[in-house]
Amino acid sequence: MLRLTNRQILLGITGGIAAYKSAELTRMLKKAGADVRVVMTPAAAEFITPLTLQALSGNPVHLQLLDPEAEAGMGHIELARWADLILVAPATADFMARVAAGMGNDLLTTLCLASDAPLCLAPAMNQAMWRDQQTQLNVQALQARGIQLFGPASGEQACGDTGIGRMLEPEALLQAIANQFDYDLLNGKRIVITAGPTREAIDPVRFISNHSSGKMGYALAEAAADAGAEVILISGPVNLHAPAHVKRIMVESAQDMLDAALHTADNCDVFIGAAAVADYRPEFVSTNKLKKGKEESMEIRLIKNADIIATIAALPNKPFTIGFAAETNDVLNYAREKRLRKQLDMIIANDVSIAGIGFNSDENQVTLITSTDEISLPQTSKRQLARQLIEHIAPHLPTTR
Ligand code: PMT
């Protein structure tokens, strides 16, 4: 649900039995990456506690228009400007009538009047109230002003009636909100991403590898696919499922990864090397398991692997090439030098000496370096970071290739 990442959603809740579903909607919006602020009418607070919504949204709940404390924090006009979208769910017949009449007699109606953000209502009421002539006139008036209605659905009602008037389920509302935001940043683009470690065999049962979990590369593949790209993920051995709509090629060694990269990089628009590729491999791979000898030490001679990303960057019809630089010291200088040496369009500097980020963690913090810019992205989940990276990468791509 990439379209909701960092979107600022103002969720209004009015007094109806369906208000309890808005708690689940808040949780789902947060999970999809949205920043959620909840505004409740006094009647809504009779059905569900503001504390529940505060805990789920991670923000204070706004209750009253004339609240000096709230105004000292985020005032109602600021709140109206803050919103990328306002959804009122549930929207009662009374609330819809007041919005249709242009009233501003509580905080939520005032925000609807004061905001330029798209306004969406999820009606919830008894079927007879929904069918009432005045309600239907209000619906027409609201729609004529560009206000969108999500639902209502038909079915069994809390009052025992059956008919139209049920609020849409949270999943359907989440999708309807996401549909309000265009997210086609990488439509028509073909992206190849490497992820995870490589394994360099010593004998049939032993290998040289590293701690890469593949999470960063897989998060990038997911974010790129969500942004509309055709994604090929070349993955070393990891314990992760392939993200939806991503074609995955599993490999073991650096040589396998190079072969897959050369096979797929032709005609791709972007190549991202998030894999932790072994720089060296054993010169000889024993066909049988090596036996423990009497000697106290043994030597394995290593030879250099090909540099996959540098090979791709040197192709005549090279894609926009992005590498990662995993460094433990003097991170930015080494990353800048690596970008130039490997002739990359962009490098993502990753300080892997900091606990909790980098290898095998759920979070990361990076600096994105091009020939003209250096942008530092603060610590966040790899999934969130991947979405931000896609947003930074997209403007660098030509519209046609
Ligand atoms: O997989 P995770 O647990 O989520 O961890 C993520 C990560 C730390 C592995 C990832 O964010 C990262 O930094 N990946 C690059 C790791 C690395 O090998 O960095 P490097 O500085 O050694 O290599 C620089 C670039 O050259 C990388 O894009 C790498 O993929 C590429 N490379 C390196 C060697 C080689 N033989 N071929 C390559 O293409």
Side-chain angles (χ1 to χ4, degrees):
M1 203 60 73
L2 185 58
R3 282 175 275 186
L4 289 174
T5 308
N6 298 329
R7 299 294 184 185
Q8 300 180 164
I9 309 295
L10 198 154
L11 177 62
I13 305 179
T14 68
I17 189 70
Y20 76 93
K21 293 187 189 175
S22 301
E24 177 62 0
L25 178 60
T26 305
R27 193 191 64 76
M28 292 170 92
L29 281 165
K30 285 288 289 180
K31 198 167 169 225
D35 192 359
V36 185
R37 284 190 173 261
V38 177
V39 178
M40 296 174 79
T41 62
E46 301 287 328
F47 287 89
I48 183 167
T49 70
L51 199 59
T52 304
L53 277 312
Q54 177 173 317
L56 290 169
S57 69
N59 283 315
V61 171
H62 304 262
L63 295 163
Q64 285 163 14
L65 182 55
L66 304 173
D67 177 351
E69 206 176 302
E71 290 294 307
M74 189 182 263
H76 69 281
I77 295 296
E78 222 177 325
L79 200 52
R81 288 192 189 127
W82 172 88
D84 290 330
L85 179 141
I86 300 176
L87 170 69
V88 182
T92 59
D94 168 72
F95 182 78
M96 287 169 60
R98 286 189 288 129
V99 175
M103 290 173 74
N105 56 347
D106 64 9
L107 177 59
L108 193 51
T109 45
T110 306
L111 288 170
C112 293
L113 275 181
S115 180
D116 289 332
L119 174 59
C120 309
L121 308 178
M125 64 196 75
N126 166 270
Q127 50 86 23
M129 290 170 78
W130 173 256
R131 285 190 290 103
D132 179 83
Q133 197 184 355
Q134 187 56 55
T135 303
Q136 287 306 308
L137 287 174
N138 293 339
V139 166
Q140 282 171 27
L142 292 166
Q143 287 176 329
R145 278 165 47 200
I147 295 169
Q148 294 201 60
L149 264 59
F150 299 157
S154 190
E156 212 173 286
Q157 301 203 302
C159 55
D161 282 4
T162 301
I164 188 159
R166 280 172 62 92
M167 187 171 93
L168 292 189
E169 293 302 319
E171 294 80 9
L173 287 175
L174 184 76
Q175 191 58 57
I177 298 169
N179 291 345
Q180 302 303 303
F181 299 102
D182 281 340
Y183 202 84
D184 55 0
L185 275 181
L186 296 180
N187 258 356
K189 302 288 183 215
R190 196 158 175 265
I191 300 202
V192 177
I193 299 172
T194 67
T198 62
R199 284 182 182 172
E200 308 303 322
I202 297 170
D203 68 13
V205 295
R206 301 183 179 93
F207 53 79
I208 297 171
S209 191
N210 59 65
H211 291 292
S212 170
S213 62
K215 287 178 190 168
M216 190 69 246
Y218 275 59
L220 277 163
E222 183 188 40
D226 279 353
E230 178 195 338
V231 183
I232 297 173
L233 177 63
I234 304 173
S235 171
V238 296
N239 285 320
L240 298 172
H241 294 292
H245 312 299
V246 167
K247 182 181 170 199
R248 180 168 69 164
I249 302 171
M250 296 301 294
V251 296
E252 288 268 328
S253 66
Q255 184 60 47
D256 298 341
M257 195 173 266
L258 174 68
D259 293 344
L262 285 171
H263 193 68
T264 52
D266 204 25
N267 284 328
C268 85
D269 299 280
V270 184
F271 186 94
I272 307 179
V277 185
D279 288 322
Y280 291 89
R281 67 177 184 278
E283 185 175 19
F284 300 107
V285 181
S286 172
T287 43
N288 294 319
K289 184 184 168 203
L290 292 174
K291 291 285 175 206
K292 185 161 70 178
K294 289 201 175 105
E295 305 79 18
E296 286 304 312
S297 65
M298 74 179 289
E299 284 178 13
I300 298 174
R301 191 177 146 78
L302 302 177
I303 55 168
K304 218 173 201 172
N305 275 327
D307 193 304
I308 300 169
I309 203 151
T311 308
I312 299 298
L315 291 174
N317 187 24
K318 80 178 228 16
F320 190 83
T321 314
I322 304 167
F324 272 76
E327 307 290 349
T328 52
N329 60 303
D330 208 3
V331 178
L332 293 182
N333 276 334
Y334 280 127
R336 289 178 194 122
E337 181 275 322
K338 224 171 240 183
R339 190 187 76 79
L340 291 171
R341 178 163 43 85
K342 299 193 184 205
Q343 299 197 8
L344 308 179
D345 298 295
M346 180 185 287
I347 200 153
I348 298 164
N350 203 168
D351 187 338
V352 290
S353 71
I354 303 174
I357 65 167
F359 282 92
N360 201 13
S361 60
D362 289 328
E363 300 201 336
N364 212 354
Q365 170 201 324
V366 299
T367 303
L368 193 149
I369 302 173
T370 64
S371 59
T372 51
D373 292 315
E374 294 201 358
I375 301 166
S376 169
L377 299 177
Q379 183 168 341
T380 184
S381 70
K382 283 181 177 168
R383 291 187 75 198
Q384 187 89 351
L385 185 73
R387 292 160 191 206
Q388 292 170 15
L389 286 170
I390 294 298
E391 281 172 11
H392 282 285
I393 292 166
H396 288 273
L397 308 179
T399 43
T400 53
R401 190 175 146 79

